Amino acid sequence: MIQKKNHGDLRIVLEVWRQNGPGAPGAFEEHEVMANEHMSFLELLDVLNEQLVESGRDPFVFEHDCREGICGSCSMTIDGKPHGPRDRTTACQLHMREYRNGDRVRVEPWRANAFPVVKDLMTDRSAFDRIQQAGGYVSINTGSAPDAHAMPVNKENADMAFDAAACIGCGACVAACPNASAMLFTSAKLSQYTLLPQGQPERDQRALGMVDQMDAEGFGNCTNHYECEAACPKGISVTNIARMNREYARATLRRRD
Amino acid sequence: MNSFIRFLSSSIGRKYVMAVTGLSLTLFLLVHMAGNLTLYAGNDAFNEYADLLESNPLLPLAEAGLLVLFVVHILFAVLLTGRNKTSRSDKYQSSLGMGAKTVASTTMWITGPVLLVFLVIHIWDFRISKELLDEYDLAQMVVDRLRHPVGFVIYTASIGMVGLHMWHAFQSAFQTLGVAHPRYRSLIQNTGRLITALLVAGFGGIPFYLFFTG
């Protein structure tokens, strides 16, 4: 198909990681794609995959769901930056207007032993689910709506809890961390409950459960580079990690077993 | 399992140990540096200070405490770093970086072992070797060491390593201990930088003074 060159069209040279399964050897494949500045990065990959399918080759596997920056699925490292070069932006919200005609872009999966590659750019991030299940919840009666103001929450704590709850669990923090540590994710998921009155009954067991699960999953240890905070598409602050450290120490002092 | 053992087996518990021992060693370094400054007042002043220290009956206890601090700090660093270096077997093919990490933060696992080598040399030079002598002039031993080009280079380079290590370590320790209120963040960071500068200037000034006035 001959396409007329439109205003805003860009020729992009993509180097995309191809890997057939967990532990299989992988390599970059080079492809040239015509993009438009209005496309998102995922749409660029869609165009590439269409080209591949039309020529009878395997498309690249990559995860996506909402395409509006809130689901945390589009995990990929673009030129050494999780979710690409734009601050506080997921790959699906990264638009090709960030690039120039002729740019060469390298895409690879999250790399961490706790996130094994499923295929190509897709990784298995169920380690996050298990951390969440180890204490990232509150056991409250959800039967009927409680009266407003029945449980007072101060504004500052509500704001901090909300900021922590903005975490979409995409794993960019692990991907960006030189040690592949999951402390930013775990601390955000812990903080969103611990800062609120509803989170108090399970406060200690949450801290112990989530941190122990995080360690069991094979993530590295935080060495306070703060690369995670810089990579986080939701701007989750490393003060959450400090809170998790306090919570874990506190829970250790209070534990009875 | 005992809750203390469990704490020490966890990532956060181990980080706590690094922070507490690290900050304690920082305090030691400050006192050590203050003592060294007596060299500027001449060899006699330095020797008098050394005599005063050595005549203190509590010195062996303090030395044992220091040994424990160093050993624990090093041991837990090995445990934590070992895990950190094996948590990503398949490396990135592009250079990974968001711009937040620093030369100091990424070289902690290098400056640490280098400082351990220096520590061994340093303890041999000024702590163990004098035990083998009947009579010694500690100040003269220091002066001879630091006026020798090899001694001068090893010492000044090692102090540079202390500076690099400390630049990251101080604020990192507070973050690990959970002291990270936004209101105190810059205070902690600036205090760390000030202490680092003091240590580098205090320790590092002496070899230059001796080398270029000798």
Side-chain angles (χ1 to χ4, degrees):
Chain A
M1 185 172 69
I2 298 167
Q3 219 170 10
K4 201 178 141 196
K5 194 173 184 302
N6 291 316
H7 175 73
D9 276 357
L10 314 158
R11 187 180 62 86
I12 300 288
V13 181
L14 278 172
E15 291 175 47
V16 187
W17 186 257
R18 176 79 84 180
Q19 182 175 339
N20 274 329
F28 284 103
E29 265 183 35
E30 198 177 298
H31 296 278
E32 208 177 289
V33 186
M34 280 309 288
N36 186 276
E37 63 177 8
H38 301 299
M39 280 179 179
S40 74
F41 199 84
L42 297 193
E43 283 163 344
L44 178 77
L45 293 179
D46 290 338
V47 172
L48 168 63
N49 276 348
E50 266 176 41
Q51 284 178 15
L52 289 171
V53 170
E54 278 170 13
S55 62
R57 288 148 81 188
D58 262 0
F60 285 100
V61 171
F62 66 94
E63 261 191 288
H64 58 96
D65 189 14
C66 73
R67 299 211 178 202
E68 55 185 17
I70 55 167
C71 77
S73 294
C74 51
S75 55
M76 59 187 74
T77 308
I78 304 167
D79 288 332
K81 290 180 163 50
H83 294 298
R86 232 181 110 86
D87 274 358
R88 297 203 181 183
T89 306
T90 52
C92 66
Q93 291 295 299
L94 173 69
H95 286 84
M96 295 315 296
R97 51 181 170 265
E98 297 289 321
Y99 293 93
R100 298 266 170 278
N101 189 36
D103 272 358
R104 178 175 279 272
V105 183
R106 190 172 246 207
V107 195
E108 53 186 317
W110 284 176
R111 295 196 189 271
N113 293 0
F115 289 164
V117 171
V118 175
K119 195 173 184 317
D120 304 336
L121 301 175
M122 184 185 188
T123 53
D124 177 0
R125 290 172 290 133
S126 48
F128 271 11
D129 297 338
R130 291 187 290 272
I131 293 173
Q132 189 82 33
Q133 285 156 9
Y137 51 79
V138 286
S139 305
I140 51 164
N141 180 10
T142 54
S144 55
D147 285 342
H149 306 303
M151 200 178 270
V153 181
N154 82 52
K155 177 73 167 84
E156 197 175 314
N157 278 17
D159 286 348
M160 287 194 292
F162 191 87
D163 287 348
C167 168
I168 54 176
C170 66
C173 45
V174 175
C177 176
N179 311 321
S181 166
M183 288 204 183
L184 191 66
F185 165 78
T186 310
S187 68
K189 293 298 174 195
L190 176 141
S191 292
Q192 73 186 50
Y193 298 110
T194 296
L195 285 161
L196 297 176
Q198 293 90 336
Q200 296 313 302
E202 286 144 321
R203 185 174 169 182
D204 291 347
Q205 109 192 32
R206 176 177 309 115
L208 296 169
M210 292 180 82
V211 171
D212 290 348
Q213 188 61 40
M214 174 185 79
D215 289 349
E217 295 291 348
F219 292 104
N221 308 294
C222 172
T223 45
N224 303 326
H225 297 289
Y226 307 144
E227 289 281 293
C228 53
E229 186 181 74
C232 179
K234 297 296 154 185
I236 305 290
S237 162
V238 293
T239 53
N240 287 301
I241 299 181
R243 179 178 302 106
M244 175 172 72
N245 295 347
R246 288 197 303 272
E247 287 295 318
Y248 190 73
R250 177 184 183 271
T252 296
L253 289 173
R254 286 161 51 93
R255 76 188 296 164
R256 291 169 191 277
D257 54 329
Chain B
M1 213 191 327
N2 181 299
S3 66
F4 184 63
I5 305 280
R6 279 164 88 145
F7 186 67
L8 295 186
S9 319
S10 73
S11 54
I12 291 178
R14 288 177 175 174
K15 277 161 55 64
Y16 256 81
V17 172
M18 288 304 288
V20 170
T21 52
L23 288 176
S24 310
L25 289 169
T26 304
L27 266 181
F28 159 71
L29 282 184
L30 283 170
V31 175
H32 184 355
M33 181 208 71
N36 283 11
L37 294 181
T38 53
L39 251 178
Y40 285 114
N43 285 9
D44 292 342
F46 184 77
N47 279 335
E48 262 174 52
Y49 169 70
D51 283 342
L52 188 74
L53 260 188
E54 283 174 21
S55 60
N56 192 325
L58 292 177
L59 186 69
L61 197 69
E63 283 183 327
L66 259 183
L67 183 69
V68 170
L69 283 180
F70 273 113
V71 168
V72 170
H73 193 73
I74 292 162
L75 187 72
F76 276 74
V78 169
L79 287 173
L80 285 164
T81 310
R83 168 92 177 232
N84 291 348
K85 295 289 165 205
T86 51
S87 57
R88 180 175 286 136
S89 308
D90 293 329
K91 306 287 177 222
Y92 280 101
Q93 311 279 317
S94 332
S95 72
L96 183 73
M98 299 303 301
K101 61 189 175 194
T102 62
V103 174
S105 76
T106 46
T107 54
M108 293 296 277
W109 68 287
I110 299 166
T111 49
V114 169
L115 285 175
L116 176 60
V117 173
F118 169 73
L119 190 67
V120 171
I121 298 172
H122 192 64
I123 289 178
W124 169 260
D125 274 355
F126 301 119
R127 181 68 191 86
I128 298 173
S129 68
K130 70 183 168 67
E131 299 292 330
L132 309 173
L133 302 168
D134 295 330
E135 217 174 277
Y136 60 88
D137 179 346
L138 192 62
Q140 199 52 48
M141 287 165 72
V142 172
V143 171
D144 291 345
R145 251 297 168 268
L146 296 183
R147 278 190 181 150
H148 191 282
V150 175
F152 174 82
V153 168
I154 290 178
Y155 191 86
T156 48
S158 302
I159 298 307
M161 292 285 161
V162 172
L164 207 53
H165 204 72
M166 283 295 306
W167 190 259
H168 176 67
F170 193 81
Q171 57 83 25
S172 179
F174 279 91
Q175 162 77 3
T176 295
L177 293 176
V179 184
H181 193 290
R183 196 192 301 152
Y184 305 121
R185 200 185 243 192
S186 62
L187 176 72
I188 290 169
Q189 205 156 45
N190 291 334
T191 308
R193 286 170 182 172
L194 181 70
I195 289 178
T196 306
L198 273 176
L199 289 175
V200 170
F203 281 117
I206 292 165
F208 281 96
Y209 170 71
L210 294 175
F211 196 78
F212 293 106
T213 57

